[in-house]
Amino acid sequence: MKKAPIKISAAANVALIKYWGKTDLEKNIPSAPSLSVGIEDLRTDTIISESREDKDTLIGKFKKSDEQRILNYVFMAKKLLGVSGGLEIETENNFPASSGLASSASGFAAIALGIDKFYGLDMPREDISRLARLGSGSAARSIYGGFVQMDTGPDPFAKPLIVEDPWPLDILVLVTEEQPKKMSSTDSMNLTKDTSPFYSAWLDTQEADFLKAKDAIEEKDFWKLAQISEHNCLKMHSTIMTSKPPHVYWNPTTVEILHQVQKIQKKGLRVFFTIDAGPQVKLICDPSDTQRVLEQFESTSGISRRIVTKVGGEPQIEQLA
Ligand code: 2P0
């Protein structure tokens, strides 16, 4: 009998405590713990259905290398789970892919959630998270919305950080470059690990940063979270910049935004920045200050898009008739 198609919407996430470096390249085992928030309105929508042929097909806009990476992943996932049959996977992002807005996180999370549902496997969430991790390390966290932590270990998975009542925070995504980035996260993190003299310092301080961020979230202490998140972000970028050859993901607008944020923080606006492997900046704001923060960046040149969204990003999974 023909299986019903499955529609999944998975959200990107941004790490406040970053995952940078792996102990196992094939299984995407992170060298250190990370902590992220789901971004409600940056999403990948994916439909998984039975393929007319006995092979997997992808529908969507991809770079050749990404296309092969996804097809290899689907093949591997089916083999691992002991399921068969060609799949048609139609996928679309509502944001530019491969530009440092975490398309691999939402993309692989959507496929992992979709394969589980399509074959009626009903796996525990931690196993779906492990499956997503095999596609991309950060995808393990996009299985959930809200604050999510990812540990290390032999076969790690992500889990939601349980907070007693939700902490509503806004996220302002400032896009400073629409083109795909020149170096993938995977290549950059491997280069950093192999060549940056600061990489060991990065690893040595991750656990303490992670615990401090967790405390800040549990206490809903905005400035404590701001201070540790910005520090962790700049530390990650410092290791990237000091790899050999050096690599800088930022552009002049990225730097301009950082200066602006420091200026408005001094005026008391509750906002902090974080930057993933790319030139885009994400600002985390207390909702009562979001409008004023936005006004600050209205006329900054070099920002091509401003996306105003919030912490959230629960995946949605629907069986189509
Ligand atoms: C993170 N990033 O924690 C960090 C911060 C980017 C900067 O995880 O090699 O696409 O597929 O596991 O997940 C981006 O790297 O890398 C990433 P792979 P991924 O979100």
Side-chain angles (χ1 to χ4, degrees):
M1 205 178 71
K2 205 167 162 25
K3 291 188 181 66
I6 306 295
K7 184 174 178 193
I8 315 98
S9 166
N13 67 77
V14 60
L16 303 179
I17 301 299
K18 311 288 189 187
Y19 145 58
W20 200 252
K22 317 179 196 201
T23 54
D24 186 313
L25 298 186
E26 214 171 294
K27 296 191 188 133
N28 290 334
I29 309 238
S31 305
S34 60
L35 198 158
S36 62
V37 290
I39 308 176
E40 179 61 20
D41 297 311
L42 291 190
R43 285 183 174 267
T44 300
D45 288 328
T46 297
I47 296 174
I48 296 190
S49 51
E50 230 164 57
S51 176
R52 260 156 280 166
E53 300 161 64
D54 195 33
K55 65 175 184 131
D56 300 321
T57 47
L58 269 187
I59 304 172
K61 273 196 262 166
F62 305 98
K63 279 196 302 188
K64 257 273 145 303
S65 56
D66 286 346
E67 187 171 348
Q68 201 48 53
R69 179 177 171 190
I70 298 167
L71 286 172
N72 290 346
Y73 174 72
V74 172
F75 181 81
M76 178 281 302
K78 287 194 298 181
K79 198 168 162 202
L80 185 75
L81 301 172
V83 292
S84 57
L87 295 179
E88 189 175 281
I89 297 169
E90 191 176 344
T91 184
E92 194 179 15
N93 294 317
N94 70 351
F95 57 92
S98 308
S99 62
L101 286 178
S103 60
S104 67
S106 50
F108 284 105
I111 295 176
L113 287 159
I115 287 181
D116 173 68
K117 184 78 175 171
F118 181 79
Y119 289 104
L121 301 174
D122 214 7
M123 293 194 288
R125 275 283 163 122
E126 61 183 61
D127 287 345
I128 302 177
S129 174
R130 287 183 168 117
L131 182 65
R133 192 202 74 223
L134 296 174
S136 186
S138 54
R141 299 185 309 239
S142 274
I143 295 298
Y144 313 95
F147 292 99
V148 180
Q149 70 176 77
M150 166 92 151
D151 295 317
T152 54
D155 190 14
F157 55 91
K159 56 182 185 235
L161 193 70
I162 306 294
V163 276
E164 268 188 19
D165 52 326
W167 188 6
L169 290 171
D170 284 343
I171 304 176
L172 177 52
V173 182
L174 301 177
V175 180
T176 65
E177 173 66 68
E178 299 279 344
Q179 295 304 315
K181 59 193 179 197
K182 291 186 186 74
M183 192 188 279
S184 75
S185 300
T186 310
D187 289 347
S188 180
M189 69 172 92
N190 292 338
L191 182 70
T192 306
K193 184 177 178 214
D194 292 343
T195 63
S196 171
F198 299 153
Y199 186 73
S200 57
W202 160 256
L203 282 190
D204 290 346
T205 50
Q206 270 296 94
E207 181 78 23
D209 287 6
F210 173 76
L211 293 174
K212 194 165 176 191
K214 249 178 105 165
D215 279 352
I217 292 164
E218 273 153 21
E219 295 159 14
K220 295 199 179 63
D221 183 333
F222 188 86
W223 288 117
K224 187 170 176 176
L225 185 61
Q227 189 246 330
I228 195 63
S229 302
E230 289 185 350
H231 174 72
N232 192 265
C233 161
L234 294 178
K235 202 156 49 179
M236 180 190 84
H237 282 276
S238 304
T239 69
I240 297 169
M241 289 176 194
T242 48
S243 59
K244 293 175 191 163
H247 186 65
V248 181
Y249 274 118
W250 302 352
N251 61 31
T253 309
T254 316
V255 180
E256 172 60 25
I257 295 168
L258 299 199
H259 285 291
Q260 290 273 354
V261 169
Q262 290 185 333
K263 222 157 88 187
I264 60 178
Q265 283 175 334
K266 288 206 179 91
K267 292 186 191 163
L269 292 191
R270 275 158 299 173
V271 57
F272 68 86
F273 65 78
T274 189
I275 310 160
D276 275 345
Q280 331 295 9
V281 184
K282 285 141 193 157
L283 302 181
I284 314 294
C285 311
D286 185 285
S288 59
D289 286 341
T290 303
Q291 198 47 43
R292 284 175 67 204
V293 171
L294 253 176
E295 282 161 17
Q296 292 292 325
F297 293 99
E298 237 161 35
S299 56
T300 312
S301 67
I303 299 177
S304 58
R305 268 193 300 161
R306 297 157 184 80
I307 304 164
V308 186
T309 177
K310 58 185 180 187
V311 168
E314 270 295 328
Q316 291 146 15
I317 307 158
E318 188 188 343
Q319 187 163 317
L320 303 177

